[in-house]
Amino acid sequence: QMQLVQSGAEVKKPGASVKVSCKASGNTFTSYHIHWVRQAPGQGLEWMGMITPGNGATYYTQKFQGRVTMTRDTSTSTVFMDLSSLRSEDTAIYYCASEKSATYYFDFWGQGTLVTVSS
Amino acid sequence: QTVVTQEPSFSVSPGGTVTLTCGLSSGSVSPSNYPTWYQQTPGQAPRTLIYNTATRSSGVPDRFSGSILGNKAALTITGAQTDDESDYYCVLNMSGGGYVFGGGTKLSVL
């Protein structure tokens, strides 16, 4: 089964960017989609977008288009989520989650990365 | 902007049955939305309960079941246990691409 290990907590100032990594192991990285989901303190889950490591294709929800970039490094089975122009409302736990191609659900989740945006 | 609706909170007695629902602000939920249900306890990542409307994820007790009821997806817990006290989220795949989560239901078992 897939294991996803994310990078550690980050503290950023408003206007800065943050890059969170998600390293996959245990299954064929390139036959999955990797999704990013965030959760603000005390709030619900919010889907941000996805990347297909096999070909690098990305899909971002409209809310984050222009501010988010998802990339991958197939040599290390790692995907990255870069969020720019940070504001206080971006303070959240960011999760990566895997979807085996065309199964339409997120089967394995990373442990989450807390990003705090504060001046 | 598509909104996925869930009951904000629900309460059930131990041993009782509860049905949580997942709807769309406009239109009906269908199997082509691939409704998925997640359970989340504080401080933990979500856990997959039900996917593709009604398929239980590995290791999920059979007291959890999924279905389409009317124009909504539904998660039914039959014989609720105190351990089931959690937040429950549904997520739908949208025809234009992408996914939208519901706001979540906080379930109390008491």
Side-chain angles (χ1 to χ4, degrees):
Chain A
Q1 65 180 36
M2 177 81 81
Q3 289 94 37
L4 301 172
V5 178
Q6 299 183 222
S7 50
E10 302 262 13
V11 179
K12 295 291 183 181
K13 293 194 182 304
S17 296
V18 68
K19 192 168 188 173
V20 181
S21 68
C22 171
K23 183 173 175 59
S25 63
N27 264 352
T28 306
F29 178 62
T30 52
S31 59
Y32 280 73
H33 305 297
I34 302 294
H35 299 259
W36 289 91
V37 176
R38 77 176 188 179
Q39 186 169 37
Q43 303 299 309
L45 300 169
E46 181 176 30
W47 185 80
M48 300 177 67
M50 61 185 280
I51 182 167
T52 302
N55 59 13
T58 55
Y59 185 103
Y60 310 136
T61 194
Q62 187 173 8
K63 175 177 177 177
F64 296 102
Q65 284 179 9
R67 273 210 309 145
V68 72
T69 305
M70 297 177 189
T71 56
R72 92 289 193 207
D73 180 345
T74 54
S75 68
T76 60
S77 298
T78 303
V79 299
F80 303 91
M81 188 281 299
D82 197 318
L83 187 62
S84 62
S85 303
L86 290 169
R87 32 207 187 234
S88 58
E89 310 89 88
D90 295 317
T91 293
I93 297 173
Y94 289 76
Y95 293 102
C96 61
S98 64
E99 174 207 347
K100 193 169 183 183
S101 273
T103 55
Y104 302 102
Y105 75 101
F106 318 139
D107 48 3
F108 300 107
W109 293 68
Q111 82 277 18
T113 297
L114 175 62
V115 175
T116 303
V117 183
S118 173
S119 54
Chain B
Q1 175 74 8
T2 301
V3 176
V4 175
T5 59
Q6 294 185 248
E7 299 87 358
S9 63
F10 230 117
S11 184
V12 63
S13 299
T17 296
V18 62
T19 297
L20 312 182
T21 68
C22 174
L24 282 169
S25 54
S26 58
S28 299
V29 177
S30 74
S32 63
N33 292 120
Y34 299 94
T36 302
W37 292 90
Y38 296 94
Q39 178 190 51
Q40 189 182 35
T41 52
Q44 299 296 314
R47 168 200 181 198
T48 309
L49 291 177
I50 301 287
Y51 62 92
N52 197 13
T53 305
T55 304
R56 262 189 306 277
S57 188
S58 176
V60 173
D62 60 7
R63 66 178 182 274
F64 292 92
S65 62
S67 63
I68 298 286
L69 286 180
N71 61 353
K72 296 182 179 182
L75 173 71
T76 299
I77 308 173
T78 304
Q81 300 183 3
T82 53
D83 282 354
D84 299 336
E85 187 160 289
S86 297
D87 294 327
Y88 291 86
Y89 293 93
C90 71
V91 63
L92 302 177
N93 178 258
M94 297 300 163
S95 59
Y99 294 80
V100 180
F101 279 93
T105 297
K106 188 175 189 64
L107 180 67
S108 299
V109 181
L110 41 77

